[in-house]
Every structure is written in structure tokens, then in C-alpha cells.
Amino acid sequence: MTVSEAILSRRSIRKYKPGAITEEQLKIMLNAAMHAPSARNTRPWSFIAVTDRAQIDRLNEVMKANHFKQAAAVIIVVALPERQIGLCEGNHLNDCGAAAQNILLQAWEMGIGTVWCGLYPVEERMKGAYDVFGIPEGALPFCAIAMGIPDESPAAKGKHEEELVHWNKW
């Protein structure tokens, strides 16, 4: 699969077949995440790989999103704003978004379906993530990426919209 094919064919998958995501597969996705660009190469992120069914179920209660019920694994992307203090403050969310996108595309290339669910800036979700996963103060739970073997093939929703492109000026 080429990068273009991955970008154009990837969909949010919320229904999964039974089957595990291996530690090796998670490591490949996390490696892809850590190769994302970041402001001044500060890498303001950390990750929680979740395979424990009880933890995923607790997260489902926090998220109030039933697609976590079938997920085989979840990766929590956590922003570390302190890594950018005095260098390029305020870029941590952009950088974590790039890391999350790399996870989504790497998973898809491996035949794993994913759905990105925001934690930040929803206070209730963030508090739940702090409580469930023991995330330290100062770190920001950014998003939760549920994943599994796809059991659906949703139609494309996005498309190129030329009216949203401006050349050389607005």
C-alpha cells in the first residue's frame, strides 16, 4: 500500500471482529508515531498502549462511545507541554496530532481499523483518562485511538473540495 492509497482509503472503523492486536503490531504503530514531525524536534508526547480488557472497558465508560467495547487495543496519545517550555511553547497539540495520524495510517497499512476519539479539551473525558490510566499532572490526555480487525467498510466521506483551496492569497 502506498502512502497515497493509505490516506485516500483509510476510514474510521468502529466495529471490530474478534482478534488480538499483537504487542509487535503496537510497537510498529508506536514507532511510526514517534517518527512524526514535532516543533524543534521536542517530541512532546508519550503513549499508553492498552490491551487489558478491563482498562478498555473503563475507558469506554469515560468516552461514552460504544465502539471501545469491541476494540482489541487502544493507544492513548498524551501531550507533554513541558517538553517545549522556552523553545516552542504551544505546539504540543499540533505535534500530537501528527503522531496520532501516523498511528492511524500505519495501522491501516497493516490491515488494522482505527478510530480517533478526542480526549482534549473535554474536561470529563480528560479527568476520566487521568483517573483510569494514572496520567501525571501537567501531561494532557490528547486522544484515544481504538483499534481492531475491521468488521465494517464505511463509504468515503471526505473529498477534495477545490473551493477550499486558495492560491497565493485568500
Side-chain angles (χ1 to χ4, degrees):
M1 178 180 299
T2 67
V3 173
S4 292
E5 289 169 338
I7 291 169
L8 297 176
S9 67
R10 196 207 75 78
R11 303 286 177 265
S12 292
I13 303 296
R14 294 173 176 84
K15 294 180 183 176
Y16 310 105
K17 297 176 185 175
I21 303 300
T22 68
E23 184 176 323
E24 184 59 31
Q25 289 171 314
L26 287 165
K27 286 180 178 180
I28 291 168
M29 287 181 254
L30 292 166
N31 185 48
M34 290 185 223
H35 277 81
S38 65
R40 299 201 55 194
N41 198 32
T42 51
R43 302 163 45 90
W45 49 57
S46 194
F47 306 92
I48 304 170
V50 186
T51 56
D52 179 75
R53 181 79 256 153
Q55 287 292 85
I56 295 171
D57 290 343
R58 289 180 68 200
L59 178 62
N60 188 63
E61 292 173 19
V62 167
M63 300 300 291
K64 297 178 177 45
N66 287 332
H67 46 272
F68 284 88
K69 285 183 179 179
Q70 297 176 326
V74 177
I75 295 176
I76 308 293
V77 180
V78 180
L80 304 175
E82 73 276 2
R83 291 186 67 141
Q84 296 182 330
I85 292 174
L87 296 170
C88 49
E89 295 175 41
N91 286 287
H92 54 281
L93 299 176
N94 300 328
D95 298 342
C96 285
Q101 179 70 3
N102 279 11
I103 292 169
L104 301 178
L105 293 174
Q106 182 62 64
W108 190 242
E109 191 265 341
M110 295 188 302
I112 297 168
T114 59
V115 62
W116 168 334
C117 299
L119 294 166
Y120 181 89
V122 181
E123 290 293 328
E124 181 181 342
R125 287 181 173 184
M126 290 175 62
K127 181 182 180 328
Y130 283 118
D131 293 345
V132 171
F133 299 106
I135 297 169
E137 188 176 320
L140 298 174
F142 177 69
C143 72
I145 300 171
M147 62 186 67
I149 308 306
D151 194 21
E152 64 176 343
S153 298
K157 292 182 182 176
K159 65 176 180 126
H160 181 83
E161 296 178 65
E162 190 59 35
E163 63 273 12
L164 300 177
V165 178
H166 306 278
W167 295 92
N168 299 314
K169 65 178 183 167
W170 189 271

